[in-house]
Every structure is written in structure tokens, then in C-alpha cells.
Amino acid sequence: EDKVVQSPLSLVVHEGDTVTLNCSYEVTNFRSLLWYKQEKKAPTFLFMLTSSGIEKKSGRLSSILDKKELSSILNITATQTGDSAIYLCAVPIYNQGGKLIFGQGTELSVKP
Amino acid sequence: NAGVTQTPKFRVLKTGQSMTLLCAQDMNHEYMYWYRQDPGMGLRLIHYSVGEGTTAKGEVPDGYNVSRLKKQNFLLGLESAAPSQTSVYFCATTLGPYQPQHFGDGTRLSIL
């Protein structure tokens, strides 16, 4: 059974801290992994990772895929209160219409 | 969320009532999905469609039906609502299985 697991499930930090969110997967025919940020409403797309070891960056956020370890990390440096959200990791299943298998999400709270 | 519109945004139903949730997209995407999000469980796929006139079951299809009569619309129906269907429902669309999915703002459904 295809599975995606995220850790930790929740995290409380202070502004300026650096955080690392983890995602591991067990998926047949793996090709890519996606990260989303969810605030009050819709999940919004952050990164899509397809190659192992290549870092994707956007401002203070970055992510790397490790195909050998079947995992990915999402780093956020110099956190701000606006980074408070649920971060979702997902893997597409291409032979089933590209449906996404999601992890449980990591709820990040950044305190002033 | 520009491009993917869900209606209604919020609804309260009584057990046994029926209703239809509408997802409309103006991005000419072929693939459309319905997910439900419950606390501690991430998002789970209910049904999906890879093109006009096609639908397929996801992980948790029981109690739901869908239709994709027009490319831009994907309807999710509850024939006889049950309290276990209390959830937040998200529609997502994509050009194809190798592209990130874009989500609507969600429909919060409470069944009493």
C-alpha cells in the first residue's frame, strides 16, 4: 500500500528559528514528490522534486529529495509568523490519474 | 484561489439529506479531483476524472457520486448524508499527472 508519512505532526518555534520538516514515502513507481503550504483555505503549491540531491529554493524555503532514503526535507530559515501553516507532503500515483497520496501534514506555529 | 472555484463554501445538512458540491475551473485542465480533509488524516481522494465524461474511484468513494459532463465542471454528490461525511472538501485540477495540482478554497460541510 502506498504511504506518505510526515514528522513531526506539530511544531512550535519562535521567529528567527530554522525548522526542518520531514517526509518519508513508500510508493511503487515513484517519480516525484510535492510540498504544499496550507493556511486557512486551499493548499498552495511550493515545490515539486523529481531528482535526488537537487535543492529547490524559494526565498527562505528550500527542499531536497533523497531517493536512496525515500525521503524529503523542507527547510525554513529565519521563520516569520506568516510561515505559520500546515505543510503537506504528497506523492503522485501516475498510473492512477496522478492522484496525490498525502502525508498527515506538519502544523507549524511561529511565535513572535 | 484563481481558476478553481468551489460552491458552496459552507453548508449544514441533516442526516439523510442530499446535496451537490460544484467545482468549476477556467484553466482548461483535463484532470480534476475531489479530496476530503479530516483532522490528523491529511487529504484523501474521493473520486477523480481524467477528462470530460470519465470518472474513477479514489481511496474513500463510498457514499459519494461524481459527474464530469463538461470539461470545466466536476460535481460531487452526497445522496444520503451521514455524520461521518462531515469534513472539508477540496477540489483540485491539473493539466496532467506530471504537473502540480491546484486547489480550490474548499467547502466546509457539517452533517447533523
Side-chain angles (χ1 to χ4, degrees), chain A residues 38-108:
Chain A
Q38 184 179 24
E39 297 176 85
K40 294 195 182 304
K41 293 185 177 179
T44 53
F45 171 70
L46 293 175
F47 300 114
M48 182 172 177
L49 303 160
T50 58
S51 299
S52 195
I54 295 177
E55 185 179 29
K56 288 276 184 91
K57 290 193 74 170
S58 177
R60 296 175 294 102
L61 277 68
S62 63
S63 185
I64 294 179
L65 176 65
D66 186 337
K67 282 187 176 180
K68 187 176 177 182
E69 296 296 327
L70 306 184
S71 65
S72 175
I73 60 170
L74 176 68
N75 281 319
I76 308 174
T77 60
T79 52
Q80 302 172 356
T81 55
D83 294 326
S84 296
I86 297 173
Y87 291 84
L88 297 164
C89 173
V91 175
I93 308 299
Y94 292 110
N95 62 355
Q96 294 180 45
K99 72 176 190 182
L100 292 175
I101 302 294
F102 282 88
Q104 315 95 302
T106 294
E107 185 170 9
L108 174 66

Side-chain angles (χ1 to χ4, degrees), chain B:
Chain B
N1 219 16
V4 183
T5 303
Q6 291 184 232
T7 53
K9 292 185 176 7
F10 177 74
R11 185 80 182 267
V12 178
L13 289 179
K14 293 182 180 177
T15 298
Q17 288 185 316
S18 63
M19 80 162 294
T20 300
L21 282 65
L22 170 64
C23 176
Q25 53 107 352
D26 61 4
M27 297 182 285
N28 204 34
H29 285 175
E30 289 291 338
Y31 291 65
M32 298 185 75
Y33 310 82
W34 276 108
Y35 295 90
R36 59 178 288 174
Q37 186 174 33
D38 302 294
M41 302 192 73
L43 281 82
R44 294 178 294 167
L45 182 69
I46 306 171
H47 287 280
Y48 66 98
S49 168
V50 300
E52 181 178 320
T54 73
T55 63
K57 293 181 181 180
E59 301 171 68
V60 289
D62 293 342
Y64 305 95
N65 56 72
V66 289
S67 65
R68 182 98 182 270
L69 298 179
K70 292 183 178 181
K71 185 177 182 178
Q72 63 267 34
N73 295 338
F74 195 26
L75 303 174
L76 178 70
L78 285 73
E79 290 184 346
S80 180
S84 61
Q85 294 177 304
T86 293
S87 188
V88 181
Y89 292 85
F90 287 100
C91 174
T93 75
T94 184
L95 269 173
Y98 302 102
Q99 302 297 320
Q101 292 180 19
H102 299 273
F103 287 79
D105 283 341
T107 294
R108 184 173 295 275
L109 186 60
S110 293
I111 300 162
L112 306 177

